[in-house]
Structures are given as C-alpha cells and as structure tokens.
Amino acid sequence: MKAQTLYEKLWSSHLVRQEADGTALIYIDRHLVHEVTSPQAFEGLKLAGRKPWRVSSIVATADHNTPTDHWEAGILDPVSRQQVETLDANIRASGALAYFPFRDARQGIVHVIGPENGATLPGMTVVCGDSHTSTHGAFACLAHGIGTSEVEHVLATQCLLQKKSKTMRISVEGTLGRGVSAKDVVLAIIGEIGTAGGTGYAIEFAGSAIRSLSMEGRMTVCNMAIEAGARAGLVAVDDTTIAYLEGKPFAPTGASWEQAVDYWRTLHSDEGAVFDKEVVLDAARIEPQVTWGTSPEMVAPIGGRIPDPATVADPVKREGIERALKYMGLAPNTPIGEIPVDQVFIGSCTNSRIEDLREAAAVVRGRSKAPGVRRVLVVPGSGLVKRQAEAEGLDEIFRTAGFEWREPGCSMCLAMNADRLEPGEHCASTSNRNFEGRQGMGGRTHLVSPAMAAAAAVTGRFCDVRELA
Amino acid sequence: MKAFNVVDGLVVPLDRANVDTDAIIPKQFLKSIQRSGFGPNLFDEWRYLDHGEPGQDCSARPLNPDFVLNRPRYRGAQILLTRDNFGCGSSREHAPWALEDYGFRALIGTSFADIFFNNCFKNGLLPIVLPASEVDELFRRCEANEGFRLVVDLPAQRIQCPDDGRMIAFEIDAFRKECLLNGWDDIGLTLRHADEIRAFEERRRGEHPYYFS
C-alpha cells in the first residue's frame, strides 16, 4: 500500500462522500461549542425546524465572554450575560456529552477543557467555531476552526463540507536550548514561513524537538498553526500522547482502551510518505522570541533588533512594517531588550496549562513585579488547571510577587471581557495574536513564552530569561 | 443566502496586506446573538476616531477622514480590492456578515485566509483570487480614476473593466459557484445524503465504539 501521511489517514477515515470537483463531506466526531459563535447557529437550526444530529458529540463551555474576577457577582455586562445565558438555554434544550457552564468547577477555555477531560482523542475529527481548534491536532486529530454557518451545518448533519488540504511537514530537529519553549518554536516557525505560509495546507509538526515536547507543548505549537495560515496542525501519536490520555474522564477504559490504543498507534505518517512541502528547522538555533509588530510573523529573537523598513525592497511589505511600527510606537533598529512593558498577560488557549504556569512560576519565585509594570494577570486555562496550580502553591508565588491570580477564561487574549489594555500600553502576552486592537483599542501586544512573560514582569522590560537564572 | 449573478459595482482600494478579522469587526461586537446589523461597525477602529461599543448610534460618531472607506468618492462601494492574506486570524463569521451588511458583494485580492474564504461563500459574498500583477494594475486604475467600477460576472467567471472592456478570468470551485448562483443553503444539500451519513456513522460506531460513548 502507498505510504500515507497522517493527514491522509485522518482524511480518508472520515470521508463520507466526494463530489467531482473535490468537495467532500467529512464526518465529525467531536463538536466543541462556546457562547460567541454558536447562538446564530442554534437559531438557524430552530428556524429551519432541524434538530442536532448527534448531541453526544457536543462538549460546550462558556469562555470568551466570562469575567475572570468577582464570579460571585455574575456577569455584569448585560450583552455578555445574554450571550452566555443563550448558550445555557441552547445546550439545555439540545443536550450534550458535557457542558461546563460559567462558574462550573470544570469550566475553562474550550481548547483546554477538551484535552484535559479526554474529550479530544487521537483519530477524531474535531471542530469548533474558533480558529484555535488547531490545538487539538497535538493528539493526531484532524481539528480545525469553522465559521458559524459551518457550526450550524455540523449540528444539523454531523458533517463538514471540505476540500482536501495540501500537506506540509515542518521538522524541528535537535535539542532545544535551556529557556527555549514550545512557544518559541512556533513563533520561530511563523517567522520563517510567514502568516500565510501555511494557507491551504495541513501542517504536521515532526522531528526530535517536537517529539521531546510534552502534550502541553505540542498543543502550544498546533494552537498557532492557524497563525501560520494553516487550518490544521498535527503531531503523530506516541507514548507521550497515550500516557497523557490514560485515566482522563472521557477516555475509554478496559478492553475499549486497549482497542483504541492499538488503533491510535497507527496514527503517524508512514515511512516514505510524500508531503507537498517540507520545512526543516534546527532546534539548537531557536532562541527565545518576542514579536515587535502587529502580525505574528513580525518576530525577532530576544537578542535581536527591530528591523528597518528602509532596507525592505517590497513596497507592500515595507509599508506594512512602517504601519506596524507607528502603531506600536517603536523606532527601527531598537534592541528588543529596550522595549518597556506596562502589562503582562499569562494565559490563553496557547499558554494557560499547568506546565505553562509552572514555567512562569519558576522564573517568578523569589522575585516581584517590577515597579514600572502596572498589572500582571495570570489566568489559568480551566478550573482544573487552577486547582492543580493552587495545590502546587503556584498561586502563592504569583500573589506574593504582586501578580493577580484570576478565574479561568479567554480573558485578555481577545479582551471581550473587562480585561484589556489601555491605549498605548505595551503588553508581554503569552497569547497568540498581536493584531491592532486585539487586547484593547490602541494596545500594543508582544507575543512571548510564559517564561519570557514572567521575566518581563519582574524586570519591566523584555529580557532574556536565560540570563535570569 | 442572497444569490450572486452579475454585480456591477464601485470599487474601493484597501491597500494593505494581512487585514485580520479583528480589524474587520472588533471583538466587542461579537457579543451580539444576531446575524445582522454589523455593517455600521465594519472596520470600526479604522473607520471612526472614537471607541465603538455595541448599540451605539454610529451616524453621530466622528469619522476618520483618512480611512479609505470614508472618502466620498468610494461611498456605496460594492467591491473591495485588497492585498495578501485578507481575513486572517479569528474564525468569526461576523467578518463576512459585516462586509455583506455594509453592502459589499465581492472581494478581490491575491490571497484570502482559509476560514474567512470559506465563510464568505456561506453569505453570498464572492472572494476572487487574482495574480499579483492583475491586482497591482487594478489598484493603479482604481486610484487614478474616480468612479472606477468593475463588473463581476459569476456565470462567465470573469471580471470586466467597463472603461476599456478588458476581461480578467477567475477560478471558482464548481460546487461553490452553483451554491452562490442559486443562493442555496448547503445544509439542505447535505441532508439529501442523510442515508449515506447514517450508514457511515453506523460503520464507524462498529469499528471505533470509543468515539461514541
């Protein structure tokens, strides 16, 4: 049999039918639902007199719009409250495998709760009305973000209309240096291939440096596949995957577990499988990364400088850099280490898992918030992460340092709730997007790893976490 | 969904790459549970000088005179001309909803982000990918000629420049074209295959029961 890529295996095992022009119907195993992109889909379903096809595929939570403090007061913004209550009502009416509503002990960011509950399993197709659904590809799932019309389509038909993607393999070979994390790897990848480099592709992340990452690290990498333009990121199943899943609430048990693991072990690209594109990176050359502009591809190593647009030949690119520097209030050739920091955000579906909080806490222990830093928010990805962190005493380390320890949610990654930047503020953020206005109108976002964010919080500027040890 | 056939429309040039969906419709407007009414907040942070919140009367807000959509010569534009990677970032369908609600019917650029591209077709909005040389030429003409229009002919898969009659061909998937031309709801189309989906599901449940518990 022809050697297959992991993507091809996942595609063919979910193919229901295919039209002559390549448009295919793909069966969906897991549908993650949150409050922002689902109300219009449920409404559409109701108006057409349709019912959800298989409610046991649905796992839902409220995360984007929920506050991260004073939970006892409920949701004060009436528009946000109505959206969250609409989700409550829709899920109550339809049913679901699981629902973790606002203030539930297991509530959290949709891309954190899926894996930690074992609702994301290898070999599944996973969709959610959120672009960061690519996160779940870390489990060798074909997982991607969809729009609200597609949410309605999946609710009604359990299928998605899709065309097959091209395949790209990004191999990161070698050993990552001390202080260099999964976030630095994926930012370096985006710096290399650009934010549209993966458009039209499903990216498989491979190589010894990827295999050495924990599941948390692999999720961080796959999470940002979309920032490279790819709807789906993938990592093959190995012992790390299996060990992570064993004993999770929705993972199979007993004979069913054995049967599943036998199948999951086949979820890797075959020897000799051919990809449409191959990219190779040397892990040893990756340094801690900091974005300086308004697109994730505008990134530099901590020891680098902001580029000078005058040296860029392409006019569209040059104007893009000029516009970004004007928005960011930064001058060409400034060393990255001289950029001041006003706020720090540690959280988001990219970096709010227990390992991320441990990495940040390890830097913070025995230090405190720099005087120039107005606020440091630490927002765990879920109720389970929060309790685990508290059991390990991480919350005390953060509080003692003058950081704010919050309730779980998407928070200042997209600033839909009250957590946001003031105009002109620079933020060291462990999130995934540094777009204009993303963290608040006029806010200036710099994407970094949890350790680098912690280092910025205690020094008041971007500094090399490797020099803080 | 509104059907798309031939659109003869004024063109507005948005000359920047990587226009993300946060710029197209900022997050505060995503709190709505409706599908309509996003047009006044399209490009909110670029279009207005103040901070926008849901439920405002936008007609009283101060406009940014430098933003291209606010220039009188582009008022009523139905075709947006743009650069690489338009619609990148968040999957929010509010972005095509806002573009459509503002009055846009077609977008022309060198590339579009995958999820956004897909979302457009669900909302009667036609994204057209052209080579960079064609897009450069359209930008040049659009900026040079006030009142520059294009005729987007979906059945013939071509764009006509009324000033000199030049034709530019474009590609589109057959299935998407048919849905747009007819304004079809693809859920109805998919449900015609409900028996096939059911059979697939039963087979999968037998082979992989652990995905169905």
Side-chain angles (χ1 to χ4, degrees), chain A residues 27 53-54, chain B residues 197-205 212:
Chain A
Y27 185 80
W53 181 284
R54 182 165 71 83
Chain B
I197 300 169
R198 226 167 269 126
F200 179 95
E201 188 170 57
E202 280 319 301
R203 203 164 58 242
R204 185 162 177 77
R205 195 190 295 269
F212 291 83

Side-chain angles (χ1 to χ4, degrees), chain A residues 299-377:
Chain A
V299 65
I302 179 65
R305 287 171 184 269
I306 291 168
D308 187 345
T311 63
V312 177
D314 174 4
V316 176
K317 212 163 187 178
R318 184 170 62 237
E319 284 163 26
I321 295 176
E322 284 167 353
R323 194 177 301 118
L325 292 184
K326 184 167 174 233
Y327 179 85
M328 297 296 288
L330 295 170
N333 302 312
T334 306
I336 297 292
E338 287 180 11
I339 302 172
V341 174
D342 303 297
Q343 284 209 52
V344 177
F345 173 61
I346 298 172
S348 88
C349 58
T350 312
N351 282 129
S352 64
R353 299 180 180 83
I354 190 67
E355 180 183 285
D356 301 314
L357 302 184
R358 285 178 191 144
E359 280 177 14
V363 173
V364 174
R365 195 188 306 265
R367 297 188 169 97
S368 54
K369 181 172 78 66
V373 176
R374 187 168 76 81
R375 183 169 73 168
V376 182
L377 288 183

Side-chain angles (χ1 to χ4, degrees), chain A residues 143-184:
Chain A
H144 46 226
I146 58 177
T148 297
S149 293
E150 291 176 312
V151 170
E152 185 180 340
H153 191 278
V154 174
L155 284 172
T157 70
Q158 211 56 41
C159 289
L160 188 65
L161 282 163
Q162 269 286 85
K163 286 192 94 170
K164 200 171 175 182
S165 301
K166 292 179 284 181
T167 54
M168 183 190 300
R169 178 163 58 189
I170 299 182
S171 305
V172 188
E173 300 289 357
T175 307
L176 294 172
R178 188 179 58 86
V180 179
S181 72
K183 182 65 163 288
D184 301 304

